Amino acid sequence: MKRKGIILAGGTGSRLWPITMGVSKQLLPVYDKPMIYFPLSTLMLGGIREIAIITTPDDQPQFRRLLGDGSQWGLSFEWIIQPSPDGLAQAYVLAEDFLAGAPSAMVLGDNIFFGHGLPEMLATADARDQGGSVFGYHVADPERYGVVAFDAQGRVSAIVEKPQHPPSSFAVTGLYYLDGRAPALARGIKPSPRGELEIVDLLEVYRAEGSLQVERMGRGFAWLDTGTHASLLDAGNFVRTLEERQGLQVGSPDEIAFRQGWIDAAALETRARLFGKTAYGRYLGAVAHE
């Protein structure tokens, strides 16, 4: 069964107030593109074309105006309302009908992944029919994250949320590849003391049965989340530096769709004309004529 994608783009963005009091965090710019382009690009690099986008009721019209129905990229979108932010694992419950038993890849709407070899790493996770895969990233301050503990054989022995004494330096990123049981398992976990369905509790179910794998992202990868003012600025500067240095775009659904063969050169040229007054539009035009 083909894997489907979920982008969780709900929440209040309160850590970014007052910026996000009038606009969803995932619609904010990361240098030259809306934030949601980046997690969308990650799913596309994983070959995923059916994607559910989970938003708040108030923000959904703006997301629809930005992203349309996905056909411009050879994708199909399903729009799902998150009435209240009740935990990351809630996304699987909300998306249960959309998934219809299919395995899924869920990415958080404020996470940016970049690195040579990312499509291959995603393909490895996608190839696992049973169980789940998460992606561990080496960080300098693991006490701020959910951290993976490994046993002597290198298998996952625990995922510890914001530990005072981290068992490793590998943080769990906001990208989760789970099998078709995820919605049912998410329904079975108990809300945490803060009243939320915690993703760590869902992952623990997979870990306890021995079916949770961790893909370790090495030195050549970048993982950025944009949940604070400083990290949002850092992400924008990172993207700007890469694009200006290399002359290549980061987080471009248009280019990825073209290179995946989901749209043709004529469709890409149409997109290039739409963005004709920008460097992005000129770049897409050049790609279409390669």
Side-chain angles (χ1 to χ4, degrees), residues 44-110:
M44 293 173 70
L45 288 171
I48 292 172
R49 301 180 70 175
E50 291 183 73
I51 298 170
I53 302 172
I54 300 176
T55 74
T56 68
D58 290 342
D59 293 324
Q60 192 181 95
Q62 292 97 307
F63 280 100
R64 283 178 175 267
R65 188 164 67 242
L66 172 69
L67 299 174
D69 63 2
S71 60
Q72 70 274 27
W73 298 311
L75 308 175
S76 66
F77 293 150
E78 179 148 331
W79 296 92
I80 297 175
I81 290 289
Q82 184 183 38
S84 59
D86 295 326
L88 302 186
Q90 181 196 26
Y92 294 99
V93 177
L94 295 173
E96 187 167 17
D97 289 344
F98 163 74
L99 292 174
S104 60
M106 182 172 80
V107 62
L108 304 186
D110 63 355

Side-chain angles (χ1 to χ4, degrees), residues 181 185 189 200-211:
R181 298 176 296 153
L185 294 177
I189 64 176
V200 171
D201 292 338
L202 177 57
L203 297 176
E204 173 60 22
V205 177
Y206 285 94
R207 189 211 63 77
E209 68 178 25
S211 67

Side-chain angles (χ1 to χ4, degrees), residues 10-21 25 227 229:
T12 61
S14 57
R15 286 191 299 162
L16 285 170
W17 282 2
I19 301 173
T20 49
M21 293 177 83
K25 171 174 66 174
H229 300 103

Side-chain angles (χ1 to χ4, degrees), residues 124-232:
T124 299
D126 182 52
R128 296 190 185 105
D129 293 331
Q130 300 297 318
S133 299
V134 293
F135 298 81
Y137 190 83
H138 197 283
V139 295
D141 48 355
E143 63 278 358
R144 292 181 51 224
Y145 301 94
V147 178
V148 182
F150 298 97
D151 65 17
Q153 285 73 44
R155 295 178 303 227
V156 189
S157 60
I159 297 176
V160 190
E161 190 64 32
K162 297 179 180 171
Q164 281 189 313
H165 304 288
S168 80
S169 293
F170 280 90
V172 178
T173 70
L175 178 62
Y176 315 92
Y177 273 60
L178 300 181
D179 64 20
R181 298 176 296 153
L185 294 177
R187 286 187 182 280
I189 64 176
K190 294 179 180 178
S192 66
R194 60 179 184 169
E196 297 189 0
L197 298 181
E198 305 287 354
I199 192 73
V200 171
D201 292 338
L202 177 57
L203 297 176
E204 173 60 22
V205 177
Y206 285 94
R207 189 211 63 77
E209 68 178 25
S211 67
L212 184 67
Q213 303 286 329
V214 177
E215 296 287 338
R216 301 192 200 195
M217 293 182 151
R219 290 171 181 255
F221 287 93
W223 168 54
L224 306 167
D225 78 59
T226 49
T228 68
H229 300 103
S231 60
L232 179 61

